[in-house]
């Protein structure tokens, strides 16, 4: 039982893991998407910053670009160029330049002779004054003398400060009088940047970093320098070092955006650490992964719940099937048992029928044998009245011959009485010998007693017999035949009246019942003379009677006894201790109910 339930469980978890592996690649596009999005956002930000910075830088430079040409036309300065030894002119030129520098915000403004010597300068009064210094080696001077606007970035040889130099020739027609130079301080352009993770990088035409927010990058070469460039560097001394060390930038760590400034030949770059993108991307991927995990867990939970549900259903189904099988098996057993019982019942019924038949035949055989034994007495009993009839008939003929009609009528009456007696004997014998086709049925006892008494009511009244009934109100049901029971009761009561007729008042009959284990005992007692000793011994015998032939046939008790036995009961007779006869009918109990069977008929 355990292995089939464990296998799908393991399978489910495995499929969940497979599902997770299949779903994990979904994180890759998510990562790409997030990367693209955040890169875009950062690039846009950087582009704006870069634009701002470039505009600022160009603005700073352009502000001073035209200044040397304008200043070159000032007469005070021209005068110095024309008379370099004029101390007063020099002095006023120096002061003029100083004033202009203060007004324009330039770093230094100075005037050079065609030889490259500085004649007048705005920093004339400072320690590192340019006065009398020669800057002919500077490219801007050469450019200016050549008639172009000189531009140059470099460290001040005296100040050591970085600056951008604009130079223009001061001309008088075709003649070069000298040159005017404006040096712009660029140090402050580096401090535009706040404390942001993005870094600024301005490289010149040589690829050397000249302005940067990272001081350790300054004057490093972003690319290898060729010989011409090295020579130019050696000649112009733009940097504090002759050979700038290489700038080692880990390209993958930075997201870079460049802008080239045509007029200076510079490249302005903004470098944003890749971490700025990586961090939100990682967060997005983590959130996505988390969501996926939650989804998977929910899925797993759902699958688990579904599996539990299916398992429960399977378990229920199995239990139901088992129950059904058990019920089926039990039903089969019961059916088998039932059919066996039916068979047994059939066999019993058959056996009972056989028994009843056998009993019937036995009774019949008993009756026949009794009749056999009785036949002598019967023929005697019938012959006697027959002989008497014959003699009365003969006698009647003689009497009629003699005209004694009254006597003859008397004879005929006697004949009639005798035939009546013979008919009575025959009727009793018929009733006795009749094969009773009725099986014992349930009969109410009290109504049967009432019936029997009602037939004898006239006799009872004549004899003035007191009846003492001790019977329960509720009907007592016994196994009997209604007619047969009435016949028995009638016989016994008639015998009691016969016995009571022999004695004086008071005459009493007691009828009482007693419940026994098998049914009911019905006691009939009278206060007559009781059975004689002989009668106690032989009363069951057919034709035994102590009565005169007119009173009794001696068949009553014999027939009653036979009928009671046929009904499964018994007839007992004895004398009561206080005198009189005591007859007991021992009857089997019957099922309570209404007797629906047709009454038996003696004539049948
Ligand atoms: P019968 O009544 O025709 O004589 P029975 O078979 O009914 O035939 O009775 C047999 C005999 O039993 C009677 O003759 C009588 O002597 C005796 N006997 C029957 N019932 C009583 C009774 N209640 N009291 C005294 N003797 C009885």
């Amino acid at each position: 039982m355990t292995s089939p339930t464990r296998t799908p469980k393991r399978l489910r978890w495995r499929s969940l893991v497979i599902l997770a592996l299949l779903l994990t690649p979904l994180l890759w596009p998510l990562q790409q998407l997030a990367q693209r999005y955040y890169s875009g956002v950062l690039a846009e930000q950087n582009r704006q910053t870069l634009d701002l910075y470039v505009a600022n830088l160009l603005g700073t430079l352009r502000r001073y670009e035209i200044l040397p040409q304008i200043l070159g036309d000032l007469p005070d300065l021209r005068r110095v160029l024309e008379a370099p030894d004029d101390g007063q002119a020099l002095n006023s030129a120096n002061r003029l330049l100083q004033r202009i520098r203060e007004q324009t915000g330039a770093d230094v403004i100075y005037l050079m002779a065609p030889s490259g010597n500085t004649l007048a300068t705005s920093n004339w009064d400072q320690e590192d004054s340019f006065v009398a210094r020669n800057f002919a080696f500077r490219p801007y001077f050469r450019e200016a003398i050549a008639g172009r606007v000189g531009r140059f970035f470099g460290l001040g040889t005296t100040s050591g400060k970085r600056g951008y130099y604009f130079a223009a020739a001061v001309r008088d027609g075709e003649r070069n009088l000298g040159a005017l130079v404006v040096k712009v301080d660029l140090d402050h352009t580096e401090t535009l940047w706040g404390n942001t993770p993005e870094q600024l990088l301005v490289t010149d035409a040589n690829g050397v970093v000249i302005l940067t927010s990272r001081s350790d990058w300054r004057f490093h070469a972003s690319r290898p320098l060729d010989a011409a460039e090295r020579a130019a560097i050696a000649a112009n001394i733009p940097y504090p070092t002759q050979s700038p060390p290489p700038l080692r930038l880990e390209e993958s760590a930075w997201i870079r955006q460049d802008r080239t400034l045509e007029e200076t030949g510079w490249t302005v770059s903004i470098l944003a650490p890749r971490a700025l993108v990586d961090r939100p991307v990682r967060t997005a991927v983590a959130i996505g992964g988390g969501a996926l995990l939650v989804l998977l867990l929910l899925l797993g939970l759902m699958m688990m719940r579904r599996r539990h549900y299916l398992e429960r259903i399977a378990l229920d189904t199995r239990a139901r099937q088992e129950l059904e099988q058990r019920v089926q098996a039990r039903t089969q057993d019961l059916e088998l048992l039932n059919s066996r019982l039916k068979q047994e019942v059939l066999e019993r019924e058959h056996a009972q029928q056989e028994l009843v038949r056998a009993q019937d035949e036995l009774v019949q055989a008993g009756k026949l044998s009794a009749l056999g034994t009785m036949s002598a007495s019967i023929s005697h009993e019938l012959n006697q009245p027959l002989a008497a009839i014959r003699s009365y008939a003969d006698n009647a003929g003689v009497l009629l011959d003699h005209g004694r009609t009254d006597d003859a009528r008397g004879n005929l009456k006697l004949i009639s009485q005798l035939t009546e007696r013979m008919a009575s004997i025959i009727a009793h014998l018929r009733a006795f010998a009749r094969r009773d086709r009725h099986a014992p049925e349930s009969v109410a006892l009290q109504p049967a007693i009432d019936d029997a008494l009602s037939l004898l009511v006239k006799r009872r009244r004549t004899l003035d017999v007191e009846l003492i009934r001790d019977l329960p109100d509720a009907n007592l049901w016994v196994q009997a035949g209604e007619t047969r029971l009435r016949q028995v009761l009638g016989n016994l009561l008639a015998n009691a009246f016969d016995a009571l007729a022999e004695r004086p008042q008071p005459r009493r009959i007691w009828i009482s019942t007693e419940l026994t284990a098998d049914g009911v005992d019905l006691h009939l007692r009278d206060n007559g003379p009781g059975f004689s000793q002989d009668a106690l011994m032989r009363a069951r015998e057919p034709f035994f009677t102590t009565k005169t032939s007119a009173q009794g046939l001696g068949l009553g008790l014999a027939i009653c006894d036979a009928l009671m036995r046929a009904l499964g009961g018994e007839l007992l007779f004895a004398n009561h201790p206080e005198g009189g006869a005591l007859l007991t009918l021992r009857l089997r109990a019957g099922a309570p109910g209404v007797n629906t069977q047709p009454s038996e008929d003696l004539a049948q």
Side-chain angles (χ1 to χ4, degrees):
M1 285 294 279
T2 42
S3 65
T5 48
R6 264 184 202 164
T7 313
K9 194 185 221 173
R10 232 183 289 136
L11 270 177
R12 291 248 162 68
W13 278 116
R14 198 182 301 161
S15 57
L16 211 65
V17 168
I18 290 169
L19 194 70
L21 285 175
L22 285 175
L23 286 176
T24 308
L26 282 181
L27 291 178
W28 185 77
L30 177 70
Q31 195 250 356
Q32 291 295 307
L33 222 67
Q35 181 112 35
R36 197 174 304 164
Y37 173 74
Y38 286 109
S39 298
V41 171
L42 188 71
E44 181 57 25
Q45 270 177 16
N46 287 349
R47 193 186 58 73
Q48 285 177 10
T49 313
L50 195 60
D51 284 350
L52 208 67
Y53 180 75
V54 167
N56 188 45
L57 188 62
L58 285 177
T60 304
L61 294 178
R62 280 177 191 154
R63 206 173 336 139
Y64 300 102
E65 191 177 1
I66 198 73
L67 205 57
Q69 292 171 40
I70 298 168
L71 296 181
D73 289 340
L74 290 175
D76 279 2
L77 299 182
R78 281 178 169 267
R79 202 175 301 132
V80 171
L81 289 174
E82 280 160 5
D85 300 327
D86 185 345
Q88 198 180 348
L90 267 178
N91 192 25
S92 68
N94 275 339
R95 287 180 192 281
L96 177 65
L97 288 176
Q98 191 175 23
R99 222 169 34 248
I100 294 170
R101 187 202 79 84
E102 279 164 12
Q103 284 165 357
T104 58
D107 191 25
V108 191
I109 305 173
Y110 50 103
L111 189 64
M112 294 169 77
S115 61
N117 271 344
T118 307
L119 298 174
T121 174
S122 60
N123 60 0
W124 60 275
D125 55 348
Q126 287 174 16
E127 259 181 44
D128 53 353
S129 165
F130 290 176
V131 173
R133 295 189 65 116
N134 190 298
F135 294 118
F137 67 93
R138 290 290 202 188
Y140 59 81
F141 176 73
R142 292 200 298 273
E143 287 283 308
I145 295 301
R148 294 186 289 270
V149 175
R151 295 165 173 274
F152 176 69
F153 168 82
L155 286 183
T157 46
T158 320
S159 63
K161 271 174 71 182
R162 281 168 301 171
Y164 196 78
Y165 297 81
F166 289 105
V170 182
R171 288 175 172 272
D172 180 21
E174 285 303 305
R175 193 166 61 96
N176 263 340
L177 297 179
L180 198 99
V181 183
V182 175
K183 182 189 175 191
V184 182
D185 180 11
L186 289 178
D187 278 359
H188 72 279
T189 55
E190 280 183 340
T191 58
L192 271 179
W193 303 81
N195 193 20
T196 54
E198 292 90 349
Q199 301 300 333
L200 165 78
L201 202 68
V202 181
T203 51
D204 64 5
N206 296 327
V208 175
V209 180
I210 51 171
L211 294 171
T212 177
S213 47
R214 287 272 295 262
S215 54
D216 54 328
W217 291 353
R218 203 172 291 145
F219 301 119
H220 281 60
S222 63
R223 61 175 173 78
L225 298 166
D226 59 25
E229 286 168 338
R230 286 180 190 284
I233 290 167
N236 302 331
I237 322 168
Y239 320 123
T241 168
Q242 291 284 341
S243 52
L247 176 67
R248 297 189 201 285
L249 265 184
E250 202 185 326
E251 288 297 328
S252 60
W254 301 94
I255 297 171
R256 182 172 180 154
Q257 259 175 290
D258 299 325
R259 185 74 42 84
T260 310
L261 306 185
E262 297 292 339
E263 47 199 277
T264 55
W266 294 352
T267 302
V268 182
S269 307
I270 184 159
L271 283 89
R274 199 165 283 277
L276 285 182
V277 171
D278 288 351
R279 215 171 299 134
V281 167
R282 261 204 305 277
T283 309
V285 170
I287 289 170
L292 199 70
L293 201 72
V294 168
L295 202 77
L296 276 175
L297 283 176
L298 279 175
L299 206 72
L301 209 71
M302 267 168 61
M303 276 164 68
M304 244 157 78
R305 288 192 63 155
R306 188 168 159 274
R307 183 167 56 79
H308 281 148
Y309 178 68
L310 288 178
E311 271 177 12
R312 219 176 52 215
I313 284 181
L315 220 70
D316 284 356
T317 312
R318 212 176 310 137
R320 209 173 44 238
Q321 280 171 354
E322 273 172 18
L323 194 71
E324 274 171 10
Q325 277 173 3
R326 278 221 301 271
V327 166
Q328 215 171 347
R330 184 60 58 87
T331 310
Q332 273 177 357
D333 285 354
L334 282 174
E335 274 173 359
L336 208 71
L337 204 70
N338 203 17
S339 68
R340 216 180 294 151
L341 272 174
K342 271 186 189 162
Q343 186 66 27
E344 264 177 36
V345 167
L346 277 175
E347 280 170 9
R348 283 242 171 121
E349 276 177 358
H350 189 65
Q352 204 169 0
Q353 280 171 2
E354 284 290 306
L355 195 69
V356 167
R357 204 163 53 79
Q359 265 182 350
D360 203 24
E361 273 167 10
L362 265 178
V363 168
Q364 198 62 20
K367 281 179 182 174
L368 289 176
S369 81
L371 272 182
T373 57
M374 277 160 49
S375 60
S377 343
I378 292 167
S379 55
H380 169 73
E381 286 297 319
L382 291 178
N383 274 338
Q384 248 189 342
L386 269 178
I389 287 168
R390 194 183 304 126
S391 105
Y392 282 132
D394 292 345
N395 224 350
V398 175
L399 288 171
L400 283 175
D401 288 342
H402 288 86
R404 291 166 60 186
T405 36
D406 282 348
D407 291 336
R409 188 171 289 116
N411 272 15
L412 288 172
K413 198 177 177 186
L414 284 169
I415 288 169
S416 167
Q417 284 173 349
L418 283 168
T419 52
E420 211 172 291
R421 178 179 161 83
M422 285 171 75
S424 172
I425 290 171
I426 290 163
H428 274 86
L429 287 174
R430 263 186 70 195
F432 175 63
R434 175 168 56 91
R435 182 185 282 266
D436 194 346
R437 284 193 292 276
H438 287 269
E441 63 201 47
S442 202
V443 175
L445 188 57
Q446 288 96 322
I449 294 171
D450 290 342
D451 280 357
L453 279 169
S454 68
L455 289 174
L456 293 163
V457 71
K458 205 168 157 196
R459 186 105 200 270
R460 188 186 141 206
R461 214 170 288 148
T462 315
L463 290 171
D464 190 17
V465 177
E466 185 188 355
L467 193 67
I468 300 155
R469 288 171 69 124
D470 184 14
L471 300 171
D473 290 339
N475 275 341
L476 291 166
W477 294 85
V478 293
Q479 292 264 21
E482 208 169 303
T483 313
R484 282 173 284 176
L485 183 59
R486 218 183 304 133
Q487 190 183 353
V488 171
L489 288 169
N491 263 325
L492 299 184
L493 283 167
N495 276 349
F497 286 130
D498 285 348
L500 286 172
E502 291 177 22
R503 60 152 290 150
Q505 287 286 354
R507 297 182 182 118
R508 292 196 179 107
I509 292 179
W510 289 264
I511 305 178
S512 62
T513 50
E514 188 185 342
L515 294 178
T516 63
D518 291 334
V520 181
D521 276 1
L522 174 68
H523 301 296
L524 277 176
R525 179 192 157 198
D526 60 61
N527 62 346
F531 287 95
S532 67
Q533 210 52 35
D534 197 22
L536 271 180
M537 304 284 287
R538 301 178 52 202
R540 273 179 235 271
E541 284 178 21
F543 301 109
F544 172 82
T545 181
T546 57
K547 298 168 191 171
T548 62
S549 61
Q551 283 176 327
L553 291 171
L555 285 172
L557 290 184
I559 290 170
C560 288
D561 184 51
L563 286 174
M564 282 308 291
R565 272 186 282 120
L567 292 172
E570 210 179 338
L571 171 65
L572 306 169
F573 42 85
N575 284 326
H576 195 270
E578 290 173 19
L582 172 64
L583 287 110
T584 301
L585 286 181
R586 187 151 281 173
L587 291 153
R588 286 196 292 143
V594 181
N595 184 12
T596 53
Q597 273 192 280
S599 300
E600 296 169 7
D601 190 346
L602 257 178
Q604 277 184 326

